[in-house]
Amino acid sequence: MKRRAVSLFLAAAVCTTAMPATTVEAKKAPENTRLITETYFYDLPEEEVPEEAEEEVEAVIEEETLDTEAEEIEEVTEDAETEPEEIQEDADAPAEEEIQDAEADAPVVDGEEVAAEPEALADAEELDLAATAEETEAIAEEAATEEAPVVSKKEAQAAAKAEKEAKKAADKAEKEQAKAEKEAQKAAEKAEKEQAKADKKAQKEEDKANKKDPNRDPVLGENEALYRIYLPENYDENRAYPTVYVMPYDGYKAAEYLNSGILSTVDGSSAGDDSLQMIFVFPEFTEENDYGTMLDDLVADVEEKYSVIEDAAYRGIFGASVGGYMAMETAVIEASDLFYAVSSSMGDFTSESNPWIGKGDVNTAINGYDSTGDKGYSTIGKHFYYIDAPNGSARSTQAGGTSTIGANLAKRSNPYYKFGGSYYLYSTPDPKMVEYRILDGGEDAAFYLNSVKETMNRFSARFTENLYSAAVAANPQAVTSGNAAVNVTVNYTLSSGIAVYNAAVPAVTFTLKLTDPATGAEIYRDQATVDGLTTDAPTAYTFTVPRECLAEGKNTDVAVEASILGFGAEVGTVPIVRVEDAIVDGNNQSIDLMGDWYFKAYKSYKKNDTTVIDLDRVENIVPETYQSWGVVQPALAWWTADFDASLGGSSSYGGYAWYVRTFEVPEGFAVDQQLTVAVGMFDEANEVYINGTYVGSTGMQYDIAEGIGVYDGSNPWDVNCVYQMDPNVLHTGTNTIAVRMCNSSGGGGWYSGPVGIYTEEAYANAAASGSRLTVESYESASTGNTESFRLYLPKDYYEEGNTKSYPTMVLLHGINSQSSAYEIDRVDKVLDDAIEAGIIEPMIVVIPDDPTKSSFWKGKYADMVTQDLIPYVDANYRTIQDPGYRFTAGCSMGGGGAYSLAINNPDLFSGLISFYGALNYVGAEDLTNSLSTEYLSSYSIWMASGNQDMYNFYDVQEKVSNILTSKGVSHYHLVDNGTHTTSFYLPLFIQAIQYTQQNMFR
């Protein structure tokens, strides 16, 4: 594979000291050079007229038309009545003219006129009068049809008709004139707006040229709104940026954000590797207009004026307080497709002071997703949600607030939630869809400014997640004394999708970090910037790490981060295992078996299934078979989804698996000495073979005749597995060890050591834990048996002259576990360090064993603790025998037990701590509902859960917190990134104790 050109290479000078990270400081430019005030025009939606209103308008129009027609008829009738004589005269005139014409036509004889015969004249006159009468009658009949008697001659009819037509023409002309005037007015208004827009643009250019202040608020015209835009440092119009729209804190103005220092926060996050450079838009709204109708026009205006990525996949919306509601409402209720990434900080989802609350209830809308076939999974997947709030604000933890909304979104992002019941257990919310957190803090600027940083980081991850693929590998991964160095190679492929940001392919910076897992300290760092990349083609870069730069212990954690476009993200991790040489030294002899093993998960677990297949038998585990398997490093941690391909991408694989490796036995090793084979801890069972010979098993019912074991269901996940071995099983040279294991459910794996073959003295040295937890027993009348517990005493307890009495913590273990789990977690060392540092008060810790491993600390097993164990401890150790100095704590089943045990025994306890507690299994909701505020307020209540908890216990914790808030009971409720494992609770262990000690009712 071709290596790309390297433009920068930095190496750590000293292995044991972490190389300081390069800090890039944002140049503090005057705010007004990058914060620009803009305006845009928006369209108001047409008002929809209800159907009833439309019918009412039509009726009014029809009534007005009928009234007009009636008025016209009345006018005609009045004219007919006021001029009867004129009509009669008009009728007589033709008859007189006929007579005159007849006289004029008389014959002439001898120069004299001859008078017409009287009879002829009479006939003519009679005919003329008859015709006139008929015409008059016809006119009268026509007038009668218009509800008025009309008598007219032809000329009168023509005149009336002409007058009527003229009136109609005048009315039509008047209407056309009004319409033309209205259109002219609209055109003038439009022209005025366009001119105003042009003038504003010209003014902006003039201001820019004259370096005038562009931040002055302009005078806004009709349908015009204001926004402020903040450009990145060294804004480049030749590249495109993602955009974040920041909805106003109070629902209207941007002043709260700008006055609180949000611009400095943005610059700080953009300056390092925490986030991409983004363009921030601060819109402002008024009471008169719905922001939902304006966002389309706002986005269009921004994308017309600035160099942004014009794709919703690269747009985010954020808000705090009322703005948090606005952001969530836009995505959930409006179902807007303008924004992919959505963030709400301490959102105001319930307050009447929220001016936009009438737009709808966000939580109700989320619950409505359950009416869909997938219960909203695909709907939620259209966005990425980051939602957080401070646990110091009651608004965060009340029903319908952030804790409710966050929990409801998170559980619906679990692909198995749609099946209901317990089907979605062992599967977790999708963090690429929803990240929900209830964190320490109050409702203030400090909290939401931190949320801005978190939002920028999460948005950056989502905006770049499809831009590259990467993998990290170490060679060798198991380092022996013969290896001078380790090569760590990162294989990186940049997608052609990078073109949405920049036409030119940017460089990528790789940072290598080595960490000591025992202390968490960074011990080595190296960095290289690689340019000349080609998209859709692999690039490889290899770091060389000297052997002496590895951690002092057995293993070293290695992580590689890739930074592109100014945003860095971890692209891969791998453990490097230091394998010690075989020791042949008198009684202290050992062979280290840590390092590389072949691995294969090969058969699913089925309860009571005794079916045997070929791979179950050790005689079939031969090099031709196992050398094609994956290579892993056991005894370092629990299985992860990418531990090996044979797990099928699931960290919760339930079934059988083989681990196999070869090892060398030196000449003269452990001659005539008893040997111990130590393989550490498995979740859950194992059986061990060396050179094909059965050595021992834990949790397997081994059948000697069959030569195979079947898991017995005992779940010995916390047992340190040690077997005695006949030395004759080994031979000088190459040997093979094969370990067959079974995990029945949940997380699993070979998670702890030591792993090796030891003489008795060598094993004592290797296994020495130095634990200060002691194991004791007591008689329990409640169970009728002798029961056990582990005890922690402060270091000064037995100091000479010390007569001090101490507070007590009762620490309860989880399901399928024992008190030894806390010894494995080394809580004794954690307690010692915190007490020595003065963070917590010295105390006695009592860790009982539940003999059933599944009682949930109820019934007689609750009595076992309260009626038998506590009196025993009080009688034998210097405890303060007062409920104000005694509290409970626990994980999972133990967290649920801690809640119910404390709340039900106020005479013994006044505090409780629940880490990812199984509160639903102890009826915590009903119990809390049934008690008064006064009763509950006498307890210090501390609860925390991971938002990736595979049992979704963050959900029931949220419900209990809602009840406590509704009753006005102060409590601690935290939901943060994490899973249902030790890695979540242990970093919070001392914080929880400190809070409880400070808030107990004394």
Side-chain angles (χ1 to χ4, degrees), residues 351-567:
S351 169
E352 289 301 321
S353 62
N354 178 349
W356 302 107
I357 200 73
K359 288 176 69 66
D361 182 73
V362 173
N363 191 54
T364 299
I366 293 170
N367 287 333
Y369 292 157
D370 283 354
S371 62
T372 63
D374 63 358
K375 294 194 174 182
Y377 183 76
S378 60
T379 303
I380 293 173
K382 293 177 182 177
H383 300 281
F384 163 71
Y385 293 93
Y386 177 83
I387 179 169
D388 67 15
N391 57 14
S393 168
R395 193 160 72 181
S396 303
T397 56
Q398 66 184 10
T402 295
S403 63
T404 305
I405 291 169
N408 281 339
L409 276 175
K411 68 184 180 183
R412 286 173 174 82
S413 75
N414 183 327
Y416 293 96
Y417 174 78
K418 64 184 178 183
F419 297 113
S422 60
Y423 285 102
Y424 68 108
L425 296 182
Y426 307 122
S427 184
T428 62
D430 186 346
K432 291 186 177 180
M433 290 169 64
V434 177
E435 185 176 338
Y436 149 57
R437 305 169 80 191
I438 301 295
L439 305 172
D440 281 336
E443 195 170 333
D444 53 27
F447 187 89
Y448 76 70
L449 289 178
N450 184 69
S451 294
V452 170
K453 293 190 292 185
E454 298 293 316
T455 294
M456 292 178 67
N457 176 268
R458 304 311 192 277
F459 282 10
S460 297
R462 301 286 74 79
F463 293 158
T464 59
E465 62 186 330
N466 296 318
L467 294 183
Y468 61 84
S469 60
V472 176
N475 182 31
Q477 198 163 350
V479 184
T480 66
S481 59
N483 301 120
V486 178
N487 292 324
V488 179
T489 301
V490 53
N491 293 290
Y492 188 87
T493 302
L494 187 62
S495 166
S496 57
I498 192 69
V500 301
Y501 287 91
N502 201 332
V505 178
V508 59
T509 298
F510 299 122
T511 303
L512 173 82
K513 300 177 183 178
L514 270 60
T515 305
D516 185 342
T519 64
E522 184 179 305
I523 55 176
Y524 181 79
R525 173 185 288 232
D526 201 353
Q527 191 175 81
T529 296
V530 183
D531 57 18
L533 280 74
T534 302
T535 59
D536 298 325
T539 294
Y541 184 80
T542 299
F543 293 95
T544 300
V545 180
R547 186 179 192 275
E548 61 268 21
C549 291
L550 300 179
E552 291 295 326
K554 283 288 185 182
N555 59 296
T556 303
D557 291 338
V558 180
V560 175
E561 180 183 281
S563 178
I564 190 164
L565 297 170
F567 173 61

Side-chain angles (χ1 to χ4, degrees), residues 620-642:
N620 294 320
I621 307 304
V622 295
E624 293 78 7
T625 300
Y626 63 72
Q627 286 177 358
S628 65
W629 297 350
V631 176
V632 301
Q633 291 69 47
L636 296 177
W638 302 80
W639 282 335
T640 58
D642 59 354

Side-chain angles (χ1 to χ4, degrees), residues 749-957:
W750 185 355
Y751 67 89
S752 181
V755 182
I757 300 173
Y758 306 89
T759 60
E760 186 175 350
E761 181 178 317
Y763 179 70
N765 293 333
S769 67
S771 174
R772 295 203 313 103
L773 297 178
T774 59
V775 180
E776 297 195 30
S777 60
Y778 64 102
E779 297 301 319
S780 171
S782 302
T783 66
N785 296 309
T786 299
E787 305 293 355
S788 62
F789 71 98
R790 275 175 167 75
L791 180 71
Y792 169 86
L793 298 174
K795 280 186 174 181
D796 65 353
Y797 185 85
Y798 287 115
E799 284 185 359
E800 185 175 352
N802 182 14
T803 60
K804 178 182 176 181
S805 293
Y806 297 88
T808 305
M809 174 172 70
V810 177
L811 182 59
L812 307 174
H813 64 73
I815 197 168
N816 294 324
S817 185
Q818 300 179 90
S819 61
S820 58
Y822 291 112
E823 182 173 332
I824 295 169
D825 293 343
R826 294 303 309 270
V827 297
D828 54 326
K829 184 178 186 308
V830 174
L831 290 165
D832 284 346
D833 291 345
I835 291 171
E836 185 175 349
I839 300 172
I840 61 173
E841 301 174 37
M843 62 181 175
I844 294 171
V845 181
V846 179
I847 314 174
D849 282 309
D850 168 13
T852 72
K853 298 185 178 182
S854 60
S855 72
F856 286 91
W857 306 100
K858 296 190 292 186
K860 65 181 179 180
Y861 298 101
D863 295 340
M864 177 188 76
V865 174
T866 60
Q867 298 177 20
D868 304 325
L869 177 57
I870 290 178
Y872 173 86
V873 173
D874 285 347
N876 289 277
Y877 296 94
R878 299 193 307 273
T879 62
I880 302 176
Q881 298 178 27
D882 183 288
Y885 295 87
R886 191 186 290 118
F887 62 98
T888 60
C891 296
S892 193
M893 179 185 86
Y899 194 94
S900 61
L901 208 64
I903 297 295
N904 285 315
N905 293 278
D907 57 327
L908 292 176
F909 307 105
S910 64
L912 66 93
I913 297 170
S914 171
F915 297 107
Y916 43 83
L919 301 174
N920 49 325
Y921 286 87
V922 297
E925 285 182 76
D926 291 340
L927 176 61
T928 309
N929 251 328
S930 68
L931 298 170
S932 69
T933 298
E934 182 181 7
Y935 184 100
L936 292 166
S937 295
S938 65
Y939 288 92
S940 172
I941 301 174
W942 193 102
M943 302 180 293
S945 180
N947 55 20
Q948 298 298 300
D949 188 275
M950 66 182 178
Y951 300 105
N952 299 276
F953 285 160
Y954 60 83
D955 187 22
V956 66
Q957 179 180 304

Side-chain angles (χ1 to χ4, degrees), residues 138-173:
I139 292 171
E141 287 177 356
E142 185 176 348
T145 62
E146 298 178 355
E147 298 182 353
V150 177
V151 179
S152 175
K153 64 182 183 177
K154 292 179 181 179
E155 289 82 356
Q157 287 178 313
K161 183 177 180 180
E163 183 179 356
K164 189 172 183 181
E165 291 297 329
K167 187 175 186 303
K168 285 184 178 180
D171 290 344
K172 184 177 180 180

Side-chain angles (χ1 to χ4, degrees), residues 563-583:
S563 178
I564 190 164
L565 297 170
F567 173 61
E570 189 174 283
V571 296
T573 61
V574 62
I576 296 177
V577 179
R578 187 196 295 267
V579 181
E580 302 295 341
D581 293 337
I583 298 174

